[in-house]
Amino acid sequence: MSNKTIKSALISVFSKDGLEPIVQELHKQNVTIYSTGGTEKFIKDLGIDVVPVEEVTSYPSILGGRVKTLHPKVFGGILNRQNNDSDVAELSDFDIPQIDLVIVDLYPFEKTVASGASHQDIIEKIDIGGISLIRAAAKNYADVVCVSSVEDYSEFLTLLQTKNGETSEEDRKQFAAKAFNVSSHYDSAIFNYFNKDHDIAALKISETNGKVLRYGENPHQRGFFFGNFDEMFTKLHGKELSYNNLLDVDAAVNLMQEFKNEAPTFAILKHNNACGFAQRDSIHQAYVDALAGDPVSAFGGILIANTEIDEATAEEIHSLFCEVVIAPSFSEEALEILKGKKNRILLILHDVEFPQTTVRTCLNGVLVQDRDNKTDAIEDLSEVTNNKPTQSEFDDLIFASKICKHTKSNTIVLAKNKQLCASGTGQTSRVDALNQAIHKAKSFNFDLKGAVMASDAFFPFPDCVEIADKAGITAVIQPGGSIKDQLSIDYCNENNLAMVMTGTRHFKH
């Protein structure tokens, strides 16, 4: 492989963080430095000689700085092939300097979007010269080193110091790969911003914060997480989260979002489904009643609260083996107790915006859909039976509907007094889901008299409302939409059940 010694560098960066030691080392190694604008001033302020790009191009920065480096003398110096006699001759003919190193830090497009800046400010943060320099330098890695991100400064400085400015082709190729990662991610972010208000059927996903997990769903599978975990959580304690932990945490957080800013609410999840759930006047009582929903399944589960976990609640939790505990905050006393198990993962959930699309692999491609942002509310309900729900039944119906939305289909959820009695999850028939829920509720001594039932989809026949009626259930919430809806309505009317329809199905496959 061909080794090259850096003799000249073009530096044009937005952020100057971490740049000084690199500039000092280049100066120490007698490297000629070319630069523009604010970067040029930064280098001069260090007392280091720098050649303005304008001296090379004989052209000033124009259009308010939009055009600085876009010139044949700059890109010729980067793109020339040193093993090509014609290229080398043209450099001499047109007085083009050879450039061996390009250091670029792009305008912060994503941060500008995230800041809520105006559309025009966002447009101005679409880098043109910088992205072009990166692509040119990375393409010509055979002769040029391309450093395309502040995150790579430390690695590059070490390379400079240990090899005294010499790089191998493999070194340059590695930095080129990093550069194309930066450029492709940048372009994806710009496209996704523009496509928010349009409907171009294209999927651009780019996540650069990759984390290798211990393994995937099972030990023989590799696993990775791509995303900004620290933006969503502060991890206070415990072991590393696994692939399955992350899936359960995702399910828990999405479910609890339905109860944000409501009375103290506690959920216990297992395999992405709630096995215990309750809303009470205190978080302590909410936990106690959630656990009562299924203390067997709660073993090894994921726990989440919508308000601070206090000392009394932590005392109760501590006697249970659980993988993860999530809350917006923990009292100092609660933290001291919960940290008593060294592997127990404790997470503070931040107030963040969730992605508005869901993506999953399918066949030899992917399926993409809008996030299910519809939460059933009282005003959405159609009262289709003669018997109308009482106020407490209305409260329980909405409560059950929210849980049902986040439970695997086919599902039936049974609730009473804002407590999950049981659910039937992932069944191939709705009758099976209902029978499973009734059996489970009775096994934990729940009295279903006066309970409500929620279904994630319509009833094609009246069998489910009949089974529910015989179990003591008095009110039902379902989407409706079956050509045989009237059969279920007729049964409810004949047997004094209340039923409401939402008009919205919540399948979760």
Side-chain angles (χ1 to χ4, degrees), residues 132-143:
S132 301
L133 291 170
I134 286 174
R135 290 179 64 84
K139 174 179 179 175
N140 202 28
Y141 72 87
D143 293 304

Side-chain angles (χ1 to χ4, degrees), residues 191-192 194-204:
F191 168 78
N192 288 330
F194 274 88
N195 201 38
K196 283 191 306 181
D197 300 323
H198 301 279
D199 196 21
I200 299 173
L203 176 64
K204 307 287 185 185

